Amino acid sequence: MAALSGASVIVTGCSGEGGGGGNTGLRFANRLRMPPLAESSRDADGAKRFALTLQSGGRSEFLPGKVTRDTWGINGAYLGPTVRAARGERVRMAVTNRLPEASTLHWHGMRLPAEMDGGPHQMIEPGATWTPEWTVDQPAMTSWFHPHPHERTAMHVYRGLAGLFLIDDPRGPRLPSRYGVDDIPVIVQDKKFDGDGTLDTGGVDRGTFGLLGDTILINGGYDPFFTATTELVRFRLLNASNARVYRIGFADDRVYHVVAGDAGLLDRPAAVDRVKISPGERAEIVVRFAPGESVVLNSRGEPAKAANDIEEDDFDLMKIVASARPAAGEPLPAKLGGPGPAAVPPGARVRQFFLTGSEINDRDMDLTRIDDVVPAGAVEIWEIDNVTYAHNFHIHEVAFRILDLDGAPPPPYQAGPKDTVFLPKKAKVRLLVQFGGFVDPVNPYMYHCHLLRHEDKGMMGQFVIVEPGTEDRISRTIPAAHHHG
Ligand code: C2O
Ligand code: CU
Ligand code: CU
């Protein structure tokens, strides 16, 4: 790790290799796009009401001078607004589908009743509006939303349907928190464009990993720069790519701090010079900038190239330009308030999952089959054993801790609450999973690989949360009529 220095470091030009897909020749010509905050209104009972419309036919200018037609977005041409709610608040959603086909909207990272989850059982037909509501009752975090239609998730996300959902907790630690000023969303996606700017979707449903793009968009914008007007900036990194894995850091390899993982704050800031995030994962980082400096945020492939083509390429992501007199920030708190070391309760039930090419425990996803029945409030150990090439593993509704990865404890920045974990090829991970308390023996939650091509191919299972003691009486079959209701 290089020491933090005030020197400005600008890397331009291509620095070689990168497995053919990388792009390190950006000019940083465009101001970073900031997803707007979603508008809301208050219902008489105090609930916060949001209207989200899934729409097609967007015209987006990603590449200079080229119009990309038919991008998809939520309340806009591409991506969605940032939804924000505080812990304890009730939210009431109206999700309208103006797409040419059925879809869903899943609240990734949200603890809520299964019927509100927006998985493949909560399909919204074209023209219809779906109205889930729930009370936000979980720690502050960066969560997100995206469609989850059976076998169609990769295409819907790739075309542009995704957005951030920030959960605030006023009792949390003091961190940079002025949205768009010193609290900055960074939604990372790789795309492929044809020469005329058309979004190339041909590879989305093909190959081992689906589409791997050679062009990076940040918040739906190409070739961005961000002007830092404060010494400390929080970036909320979200990997909303279909398959790519990023190792995010800076061109000068400066040390910065991770303050939160997928599902909430760490115990204390973790010093790093790179964080690895696979599709669906988030990391909140706080970075210090010296007056007037410029530095490039980038992704660097695994040096060992041990893994495979989803984590090999090098990309520049954006340039940060610090203003000449940035506003002084408060120092990072030593304690952030996240949970301490994970403690395994005696007798915790162990479940095992084997990941093969695109199956879990040798089974393909079946919408009518309940794979696992979990008692409400359970804390279980889930052992995920990846016997093939790279995958990751996401569980709806829960927060988990990584107990170990290939027998070793996770790096401190991944030791906090999470909901998605990367498994390099042949890796094995043990998770301590905390389940919630919304019982519903009929409506399942999902667990799956979040490489969207794999998810669509059926690398997904379903679990229900039930009243403790009733596990044996729960039907393992969902009536076929139910799953489009
Ligand atoms: Cu981000 Cu089941 O999904
Ligand atoms: Cu999810
Ligand atoms: Cu996978």
Side-chain angles (χ1 to χ4, degrees):
M1 293 186 185
L4 176 67
S5 84
S8 92
V9 179
I10 302 174
V11 173
T12 51
C14 182
S15 50
E17 301 175 311
N23 178 359
T24 53
L26 298 181
R27 294 169 48 244
F28 313 108
N30 307 310
R31 188 171 297 281
L32 177 68
R33 293 188 194 184
M34 223 54 79
L37 288 173
E39 289 172 22
S40 63
S41 58
R42 284 278 169 207
D43 284 356
D45 65 354
K48 203 169 182 182
R49 177 181 287 276
F50 293 92
L52 299 173
T53 299
L54 314 182
Q55 53 193 71
S56 58
R59 289 166 60 90
S60 300
E61 189 183 320
F62 298 120
L63 304 178
K66 292 176 181 169
V67 174
T68 301
R69 291 191 170 73
D70 200 22
T71 57
W72 291 12
I74 301 166
N75 298 358
Y78 186 84
L79 292 179
T82 296
V83 173
R84 205 154 190 173
R87 187 170 194 175
E89 244 177 342
R90 186 141 189 96
V91 293
R92 196 165 277 148
M93 301 291 179
V95 182
T96 299
N97 181 358
R98 299 247 175 267
L99 305 171
E101 60 183 82
S103 191
T104 81
L105 201 61
H106 165 58
W107 319 103
H108 178 135
M110 202 65 67
R111 176 154 275 171
L112 36 53
E115 275 182 296
M116 312 296 175
D117 192 41
H121 294 277
Q122 286 89 41
M123 294 295 279
I124 315 168
E125 296 301 323
T129 297
W130 177 57
T131 55
E133 60 173 275
W134 69 95
T135 299
V136 174
D137 184 18
Q138 60 192 92
M141 65 184 293
T142 302
S143 68
W144 65 300
F145 47 88
H146 61 79
H148 216 300
H150 189 46
E151 298 175 339
R152 295 288 291 160
T153 295
M155 193 64 86
H156 288 205
V157 173
Y158 185 73
R159 285 186 177 279
L161 300 179
L164 286 170
F165 194 140
L166 310 186
I167 299 179
D168 301 313
D169 187 343
R171 291 161 307 178
R174 292 221 185 200
L175 293 169
S177 56
R178 284 172 297 160
Y179 185 81
V181 178
D182 60 5
D183 184 353
I184 309 299
V186 179
I187 304 172
V188 186
Q189 298 179 301
D190 61 325
K191 303 286 163 187
K192 225 168 140 178
F193 294 99
D194 293 341
D196 63 354
T198 304
L199 190 59
D200 184 343
T201 57
V204 170
D205 295 329
R206 281 197 221 121
T208 306
F209 294 108
L211 187 136
L212 292 171
D214 54 10
T215 303
I216 302 290
L217 301 182
I218 307 289
N219 299 343
Y222 172 67
D223 201 17
F225 71 90
F226 170 71
T227 304
T229 57
T230 57
E231 282 177 354
L232 287 182
V233 179
R234 163 157 62 167
F235 296 101
R236 298 178 188 251
L237 310 176
L238 161 65
N239 183 343
S241 302
N242 284 38
R244 271 209 192 275
V245 174
Y246 304 97
R247 281 175 68 247
I248 295 181
F250 291 86
D252 60 1
D253 290 319
R254 72 181 54 196
V255 173
Y256 59 91
H257 289 88
V258 178
V259 295
D262 305 331
L265 292 161
L266 302 181
D267 177 25
R268 52 186 65 232
V272 296
D273 59 2
R274 293 271 153 201
V275 298
K276 185 186 271 204
I277 52 172
S278 69
E281 285 186 285
R282 291 86 72 206
E284 294 181 28
I285 67 174
V286 176
V287 188
R288 177 174 292 278
F289 298 105
E293 72 166 333
S294 297
V295 66
V296 171
L297 182 76
N298 64 24
S299 175
R300 287 292 171 261
E302 271 297 345
K305 301 220 167 191
N308 41 65
D309 41 357
I310 61 172
E311 49 174 338
E312 283 180 358
D313 292 329
D314 291 346
F315 293 96
D316 283 350
L317 303 178
M318 68 173 162
K319 184 163 79 173
I320 291 99
V321 181
S323 62
R325 281 204 202 90
E330 293 186 52
L332 265 186
K335 295 278 283 178
L336 295 165
V344 180
R349 167 158 188 182
V350 179
R351 291 183 207 251
Q352 288 179 310
F353 301 87
F354 290 90
L355 310 184
T356 50
S358 56
E359 295 180 321
I360 299 175
N361 292 343
D362 291 326
R363 298 203 283 199
D364 274 326
M365 164 70 163
D366 181 342
L367 279 167
T368 66
R369 183 187 70 228
I370 302 289
D371 297 282
D372 292 274
V373 177
V374 178
V379 178
E380 300 188 346
I381 295 171
W382 282 27
E383 288 184 3
I384 324 290
D385 196 346
N386 177 14
V387 303
T388 56
Y389 44 76
H391 293 294
N392 74 4
F393 199 81
H394 166 53
I395 312 175
H396 288 206
E397 198 277 339
V398 310
F400 58 67
R401 312 289 294 279
I402 302 175
L403 290 173
D404 42 61
L405 180 62
D406 287 332
Y413 81 88
Q414 290 182 337
K418 287 179 63 59
D419 56 45
T420 307
V421 61
F422 181 57
L423 287 108
K425 86 174 160 199
K426 303 262 195 288
K428 182 169 181 168
V429 69
R430 289 196 318 137
L431 309 175
L432 187 68
V433 188
Q434 171 72 65
F435 292 86
F438 295 106
V439 298
D440 185 337
V442 179
N443 288 292
Y445 298 101
M446 308 293 130
Y447 55 80
H448 58 90
C449 179
H450 217 291
L451 308 188
L452 301 181
R453 165 84 175 130
H454 297 177
E455 176 181 341
D456 283 351
K457 278 176 84 179
M459 199 165 189
M460 178 150 54
Q462 310 196 99
F463 69 99
V464 287
I465 295 181
V466 303
E467 206 63 63
T470 66
E471 295 91 308
D472 294 343
R473 305 202 295 273
I474 302 300
S475 165
R476 294 300 190 119
T477 310
I478 302 175
H482 182 79
H483 69 77
H484 278 267

